[in-house]
Amino acid sequence: AALKADDLSRDQLVTGTDVGGNSAAIRFGQGIASFATLNSTAAASAFLDAEDLMDAVTALKANKANPLNGQYVALVPPQISRDLFRDTDFLNTVYRNVENKVGSLPAGTLGSFYGVRIAEHTNPFIEGTTSGTYNSAGSIYSTVVLGANAFGVVKIAGDSPFSPRIILNNQADKADPLNQTTVAGWKCFYAAKLLNAKRAVVIKAKSRFA
Protein backbone atom coordinates (compact mmCIF):
# COMPACT_ATOMS: atom_id res chain seq x y z
CA ALA A 1 0.00 0.00 0.00
CA ALA A 2 2.79 2.40 0.89
CA LEU A 3 4.69 1.54 -2.28
CA LYS A 4 1.61 2.22 -4.42
CA ALA A 5 1.22 5.67 -2.84
CA ASP A 6 4.92 6.30 -3.42
CA ASP A 7 4.51 5.32 -7.08
CA LEU A 8 1.79 7.96 -7.50
CA SER A 9 3.95 10.68 -5.93
CA ARG A 10 7.03 9.66 -7.95
CA ASP A 11 5.15 9.57 -11.26
CA GLN A 12 3.54 12.94 -10.61
CA LEU A 13 6.90 14.60 -9.94
CA VAL A 14 8.51 13.20 -13.10
CA THR A 15 5.63 13.28 -15.59
CA GLY A 16 2.92 15.46 -14.00
CA THR A 17 2.02 19.10 -14.49
CA ASP A 18 1.25 21.87 -12.02
CA VAL A 19 -1.96 23.88 -11.81
CA GLY A 20 -0.71 26.03 -14.71
CA GLY A 21 -0.06 23.00 -16.93
CA ASN A 22 3.73 23.22 -16.61
CA SER A 23 6.06 20.25 -16.12
CA ALA A 24 9.18 20.21 -13.95
CA ALA A 25 12.34 21.20 -15.80
CA ILE A 26 14.15 18.22 -17.32
CA ARG A 27 17.93 18.03 -17.41
CA PHE A 28 20.19 15.19 -18.52
CA GLY A 29 23.36 13.72 -17.09
CA GLN A 30 26.69 15.07 -18.34
CA GLY A 31 24.95 18.05 -19.94
CA ILE A 32 23.39 15.93 -22.69
CA ALA A 33 20.86 17.96 -24.65
CA SER A 34 17.93 15.58 -25.22
CA PHE A 35 16.33 12.31 -24.19
CA ALA A 36 17.07 10.78 -27.59
CA THR A 37 20.77 11.57 -27.24
CA LEU A 38 20.80 10.27 -23.68
CA ASN A 39 19.13 7.06 -24.82
CA SER A 40 21.79 6.44 -27.48
CA THR A 41 24.75 7.37 -25.27
CA ALA A 42 26.67 4.74 -23.31
CA ALA A 43 26.39 4.89 -19.52
CA ALA A 44 30.09 5.75 -19.28
CA SER A 45 29.26 9.14 -20.83
CA ALA A 46 25.71 9.64 -19.54
CA PHE A 47 25.89 9.27 -15.75
CA LEU A 48 24.98 11.90 -13.14
CA ASP A 49 27.82 13.71 -11.41
CA ALA A 50 28.27 16.54 -8.92
CA GLU A 51 28.10 19.19 -11.62
CA ASP A 52 24.66 17.97 -12.69
CA LEU A 53 23.44 18.46 -9.12
CA MET A 54 24.96 21.93 -9.03
CA ASP A 55 23.20 22.86 -12.27
CA ALA A 56 19.83 21.62 -10.97
CA VAL A 57 20.19 23.62 -7.76
CA THR A 58 21.28 26.67 -9.73
CA ALA A 59 18.13 26.35 -11.84
CA LEU A 60 15.99 26.27 -8.69
CA LYS A 61 17.75 29.33 -7.29
CA ALA A 62 17.28 31.16 -10.58
CA ASN A 63 13.57 30.37 -10.36
CA LYS A 64 13.51 31.81 -6.82
CA ALA A 65 12.44 28.45 -5.39
CA ASN A 66 12.78 28.46 -1.62
CA PRO A 67 14.77 25.67 0.04
CA LEU A 68 13.14 23.39 2.61
CA ASN A 69 14.52 24.00 6.10
CA GLY A 70 17.54 25.73 4.60
CA GLN A 71 18.36 23.15 1.93
CA TYR A 72 17.02 21.79 -1.32
CA VAL A 73 16.43 18.04 -1.45
CA ALA A 74 17.61 15.57 -4.10
CA LEU A 75 15.88 12.17 -4.25
CA VAL A 76 18.53 9.82 -5.62
CA PRO A 77 18.20 6.11 -6.49
CA PRO A 78 21.07 3.83 -5.41
CA GLN A 79 22.11 3.24 -9.02
CA ILE A 80 22.81 6.98 -9.25
CA SER A 81 24.32 7.46 -5.79
CA ARG A 82 26.78 4.72 -6.72
CA ASP A 83 28.16 7.05 -9.41
CA LEU A 84 28.24 10.01 -7.02
CA PHE A 85 30.52 8.00 -4.75
CA ARG A 86 32.93 7.80 -7.67
CA ASP A 87 32.88 11.57 -8.19
CA THR A 88 35.87 13.40 -6.74
CA ASP A 89 34.08 16.74 -6.33
CA PHE A 90 31.26 15.09 -4.41
CA LEU A 91 33.57 13.07 -2.17
CA ASN A 92 35.84 16.02 -1.40
CA THR A 93 32.89 18.17 -0.38
CA VAL A 94 30.79 15.66 1.53
CA TYR A 95 33.10 13.04 3.02
CA ARG A 96 36.62 14.44 3.05
CA ASN A 97 35.69 17.68 4.73
CA VAL A 98 36.94 17.51 8.30
CA GLU A 99 33.82 19.33 9.47
CA ASN A 100 31.59 16.47 8.35
CA LYS A 101 31.16 13.29 10.36
CA VAL A 102 29.78 10.52 8.18
CA GLY A 103 28.47 8.55 11.15
CA SER A 104 26.27 11.47 12.19
CA LEU A 105 24.37 11.64 8.87
CA PRO A 106 20.66 10.80 9.17
CA ALA A 107 19.72 7.35 7.94
CA GLY A 108 18.95 7.32 4.22
CA THR A 109 20.92 10.48 3.45
CA LEU A 110 24.29 10.81 1.74
CA GLY A 111 25.11 14.25 3.07
CA SER A 112 24.80 17.73 1.59
CA PHE A 113 26.39 19.19 -1.51
CA TYR A 114 26.08 22.76 -2.81
CA GLY A 115 23.04 23.45 -0.64
CA VAL A 116 21.19 20.26 -1.54
CA ARG A 117 20.55 17.43 0.93
CA ILE A 118 20.82 14.11 -0.85
CA ALA A 119 18.34 11.43 0.19
CA GLU A 120 18.58 7.92 -1.22
CA HIS A 121 15.45 5.95 -2.11
CA THR A 122 14.76 2.64 -3.82
CA ASN A 123 11.71 3.39 -5.95
CA PRO A 124 13.02 5.45 -8.87
CA PHE A 125 11.21 6.39 -12.06
CA ILE A 126 12.94 4.31 -14.77
CA GLU A 127 12.60 4.78 -18.51
CA GLY A 128 13.59 2.68 -21.50
CA THR A 129 13.50 4.03 -25.04
CA THR A 130 10.23 5.95 -24.57
CA SER A 131 10.40 9.24 -22.68
CA GLY A 132 7.84 9.65 -19.92
CA THR A 133 6.89 5.95 -19.80
CA TYR A 134 7.89 3.85 -16.80
CA ASN A 135 9.86 0.75 -17.71
CA SER A 136 11.34 -1.33 -14.91
CA ALA A 137 13.75 -2.92 -17.39
CA GLY A 138 15.02 0.44 -18.63
CA SER A 139 18.40 2.05 -18.01
CA ILE A 140 17.49 5.74 -17.53
CA TYR A 141 16.93 6.84 -13.92
CA SER A 142 15.33 10.06 -12.71
CA THR A 143 16.76 12.08 -9.84
CA VAL A 144 14.32 14.69 -8.52
CA VAL A 145 15.64 17.90 -6.95
CA LEU A 146 13.01 19.83 -4.98
CA GLY A 147 12.45 23.17 -3.35
CA ALA A 148 9.83 23.87 -0.69
CA ASN A 149 6.17 23.34 -1.63
CA ALA A 150 7.02 21.81 -5.01
CA PHE A 151 4.28 19.20 -4.65
CA GLY A 152 1.51 18.16 -2.32
CA VAL A 153 -0.07 14.91 -1.17
CA VAL A 154 -3.19 13.95 0.74
CA LYS A 155 -2.76 13.82 4.50
CA ILE A 156 -3.53 10.21 5.34
CA ALA A 157 -2.86 10.15 9.09
CA GLY A 158 -5.66 10.25 11.64
CA ASP A 159 -9.06 8.64 12.13
CA SER A 160 -10.73 10.03 9.04
CA PRO A 161 -12.91 7.57 7.08
CA PHE A 162 -10.52 8.32 4.20
CA SER A 163 -7.49 7.07 6.15
CA PRO A 164 -5.82 3.90 4.84
CA ARG A 165 -7.23 0.76 6.30
CA ILE A 166 -6.65 -2.97 6.11
CA ILE A 167 -9.66 -5.28 6.08
CA LEU A 168 -9.34 -8.85 7.34
CA ASN A 169 -12.02 -11.46 6.71
CA ASN A 170 -11.18 -14.35 9.03
CA GLN A 171 -14.67 -15.67 9.79
CA ALA A 172 -16.44 -18.69 8.36
CA ASP A 173 -19.01 -18.01 5.64
CA LYS A 174 -20.81 -19.94 2.89
CA ALA A 175 -17.73 -19.83 0.66
CA ASP A 176 -15.52 -21.11 3.50
CA PRO A 177 -17.77 -22.95 5.98
CA LEU A 178 -14.85 -24.60 7.79
CA ASN A 179 -13.03 -21.26 8.23
CA GLN A 180 -9.85 -22.53 6.55
CA THR A 181 -8.78 -19.31 4.83
CA THR A 182 -8.21 -15.67 5.70
CA VAL A 183 -8.68 -12.90 3.14
CA ALA A 184 -6.92 -9.55 3.55
CA GLY A 185 -7.33 -6.35 1.55
CA TRP A 186 -6.49 -2.66 1.82
CA LYS A 187 -7.92 0.58 0.54
CA CYS A 188 -6.73 4.16 0.54
CA PHE A 189 -7.84 7.48 -0.90
CA TYR A 190 -4.64 9.09 -2.14
CA ALA A 191 -3.40 11.63 -4.68
CA ALA A 192 -0.25 13.64 -5.39
CA LYS A 193 0.04 16.87 -7.35
CA LEU A 194 2.90 18.97 -8.66
CA LEU A 195 2.07 22.43 -7.29
CA ASN A 196 4.74 24.62 -8.85
CA ALA A 197 6.94 23.31 -11.67
CA LYS A 198 9.54 26.02 -11.02
CA ARG A 199 10.31 24.38 -7.69
CA ALA A 200 11.33 21.01 -9.13
CA VAL A 201 14.03 19.77 -11.49
CA VAL A 202 14.30 16.23 -12.85
CA ILE A 203 17.73 14.94 -13.89
CA LYS A 204 17.64 11.90 -16.15
CA ALA A 205 20.82 9.86 -16.38
CA LYS A 206 22.20 6.39 -16.87
CA SER A 207 24.21 4.49 -14.30
CA ARG A 208 27.61 2.80 -14.51
CA PHE A 209 26.31 0.15 -12.13
CA ALA A 210 26.43 -3.24 -13.85
Side-chain angles (χ1 to χ4, degrees), residues 11-159:
D11 294 354
Q12 177 63 204
L13 285 170
V14 177
T15 65
T17 57
D18 64 15
V19 292
N22 304 301
S23 301
I26 304 293
R27 304 184 67 89
F28 303 99
Q30 299 293 305
I32 290 172
S34 68
F35 183 89
T37 302
L38 177 69
N39 186 50
S40 62
T41 302
S45 301
F47 60 92
L48 183 148
D49 62 13
E51 187 172 357
D52 293 319
L53 282 177
M54 291 178 67
D55 289 344
V57 174
T58 301
L60 290 175
K61 291 178 178 178
N63 285 336
K64 298 180 175 60
N66 293 323
L68 178 64
N69 297 325
Q71 290 184 308
Y72 300 99
V73 178
L75 306 177
V76 180
Q79 294 89 341
I80 298 299
S81 62
R82 178 263 183 216
D83 288 327
L84 283 176
F85 280 119
R86 300 280 294 173
D87 185 280
T88 302
D89 288 338
F90 179 80
L91 290 175
N92 284 341
T93 301
V94 178
Y95 289 105
R96 293 174 185 161
N97 187 331
V98 295
E99 295 180 359
N100 290 339
K101 295 181 180 180
V102 177
S104 65
L105 294 174
T109 66
L110 307 181
S112 298
F113 177 80
Y114 193 62
V116 56
R117 178 166 53 88
I118 302 166
E120 192 175 59
H121 72 104
T122 56
N123 189 30
F125 190 87
I126 308 172
E127 292 161 288
T129 58
T130 304
S131 177
T133 300
Y134 181 83
N135 182 348
S136 61
S139 60
I140 296 174
Y141 301 89
S142 286
T143 293
V144 183
V145 186
L146 300 169
N149 301 315
F151 75 109
V153 297
V154 176
K155 183 178 180 180
I156 57 177
D159 297 324

